[in-house]
Amino acid sequence: PALTSPWWGNKTLIKGEYASGHVSYSSNPAPDTSVEFTTSYTLYVSAPGAEVVDRTANWSNPWKIRCDDAVRDVSTTAPAPGCVFPQYRPVVEMSLAPYVKDDPNSGQGAAAATYLFAQTRLVDGWGRDTPLTRAKYGQEIRRASTCEGGSTKPFVHLDALVPDDSCDEYPFATSYEGGTNGALCAEIIPQWENGVWVPYAVAGEPDPDPFSPCVRGHVPQDANSSAGSKVRWAFAKERVLDGEKFWVNIS
């Protein structure tokens, strides 16, 4: 069994020998809370027949460990309490591969293409050059501001060009960078042509402005939903808390 002092007692070693042990740390934070701690170690050393100047060695893990129970809201399969190194910035992974219904390995297709357009064509480079910030609350309001009634420029569905067309916003409504008035967003129609995604402007609209703070993509609803699930799964797996920064990698 794991002990807090796995090497407790004396270990006599000769040249070439070693002693090993295992320590388990556990934490049980209350729901919707988190705690931080670090690990530290002390080793007492002596050598028969020799005078040891300092018998004690002390060291600590330079990285804090955080344990929380605060991500149950993003996935019904989210682990309850869990622990991470908060110094590591989480990454949400997306794939440009076309979306295939009922395929667990499917890409996010037009949704990912919309996000990549924002990362490479718009000045802020959200998620790639500039991190996004998880917003646990208010995503419905932010989405409405960009894609629905809160926008001063309505999103017009183009089902003749995009079957089951939907508005996909980036930055995400689940980030504090989301929620910009959709009238200020670039608007594109990603189309799969010869193995690559090609972003088109909406007919009758000016070309997307590279200084736009956001993008609205015409994305099939299934691909849009798949991307949203991917974000929620990453928040749960990487234990991204409200106000924490994260990257978005499009591959």
Side-chain angles (χ1 to χ4, degrees):
L3 304 172
T4 56
S5 301
W7 301 285
W8 186 257
N10 295 322
K11 300 283 187 181
T12 302
L13 304 175
I14 63 174
K15 184 177 181 180
E17 291 185 335
Y18 66 90
S20 64
H22 178 77
V23 185
S24 291
Y25 293 88
S26 63
S27 178
N28 190 27
D32 211 27
T33 65
S34 65
V35 294
E36 289 190 348
F37 59 93
T38 189
T39 55
S40 60
Y41 309 89
T42 302
L43 179 66
Y44 302 92
V45 182
S46 64
E51 182 179 351
V52 180
V53 177
D54 185 358
R55 293 175 176 266
T56 306
N58 296 285
W59 68 97
S60 297
N61 186 344
W63 280 31
K64 286 186 177 180
I65 298 170
R66 185 191 71 219
C67 296
D68 73 85
D69 188 0
V71 295
R72 299 191 193 205
D73 62 298
V74 289
S75 172
T76 56
T77 60
C83 302
V84 293
F85 291 109
Q87 293 91 333
Y88 168 78
R89 184 163 290 167
V91 179
V92 176
E93 298 283 353
M94 294 280 180
S95 170
L96 289 166
Y99 173 77
V100 179
K101 188 174 181 179
D102 298 325
D103 181 355
N105 298 314
S106 172
Q108 285 67 54
T114 297
Y115 313 151
L116 184 63
F117 175 88
Q119 290 186 342
T120 57
R121 304 284 190 91
L122 302 186
V123 65
D124 291 314
W126 290 118
R128 187 186 72 164
D129 304 322
T130 308
L132 293 172
T133 312
R134 190 202 163 188
K136 186 173 182 178
Y137 308 102
Q139 69 180 72
E140 295 83 3
I141 296 173
R142 280 185 290 275
R143 177 164 174 78
S145 295
T146 304
C147 282
E148 299 167 359
S151 172
T152 58
K153 181 179 180 181
F155 180 85
V156 179
H157 294 265
L158 304 174
D159 292 302
L161 294 173
V162 181
D164 199 18
D165 187 19
S166 71
C167 176
D168 198 357
E169 78 286 346
Y170 190 82
F172 306 127
T174 50
S175 72
Y176 281 109
E177 291 73 24
T180 302
N181 184 343
L184 302 177
C185 297
E187 191 162 327
I188 63 168
I189 308 171
Q191 295 287 295
W192 181 252
E193 298 179 357
N194 300 317
V196 295
W197 288 102
V198 180
Y200 287 95
V202 176
E205 296 287 342
D207 289 340
D209 182 353
F211 291 97
S212 299
C214 51
V215 64
R216 298 196 300 192
H218 289 262
V219 174
Q221 182 59 59
D222 281 351
N224 192 338
S225 298
S226 173
S229 295
K230 192 79 170 178
V231 173
R232 292 190 296 273
W233 180 83
F235 285 170
K237 176 177 177 290
E238 302 289 341
R239 311 200 70 85
V240 186
L241 304 187
D242 182 54
E244 289 193 321
K245 304 289 186 180
F246 64 94
W247 301 112
V248 178
N249 182 53
I250 313 293
S251 60

